Amino acid sequence: MIRRHFEAALVRLAAWILIGRNVQRSGVVSRRDNNDMWYMAEKLDSIAGRMKDGYRKVTP
């Protein structure tokens, strides 16, 4: 259980980093890649939530 929460926290950290990249435009990241990173962050946050819940609320 502790491992599941720790791994979910790491996934949420990755999502937080990706969302943080969207706040400030960078000369090396295109707008498209920036939007893709935002989408990935949203998906990672969803995955982390399912991991933390132990995949009890999985919907098809």
Side-chain angles (χ1 to χ4, degrees):
M1 183 169 157
I2 292 173
R3 180 178 175 181
R4 180 177 5 154
H5 286 274
F6 179 69
E7 288 180 3
L10 289 177
V11 172
R12 283 212 164 113
L13 175 63
W16 180 77
I17 290 169
L18 288 174
I19 286 175
R21 294 286 302 146
N22 200 22
V23 173
Q24 203 171 33
R25 295 285 178 204
S26 171
V28 295
V29 178
S30 70
R31 180 173 293 279
R32 180 179 178 190
D33 287 344
N34 205 31
N35 291 339
D36 287 345
M37 285 190 286
W38 183 271
Y39 175 73
M40 287 178 224
E42 290 176 341
K43 297 298 278 184
L44 284 173
D45 193 47
S46 296
I47 292 168
R50 290 190 300 272
M51 288 171 65
K52 187 177 174 189
D53 291 340
Y55 291 95
R56 287 186 291 251
K57 301 176 189 174
V58 175
T59 57

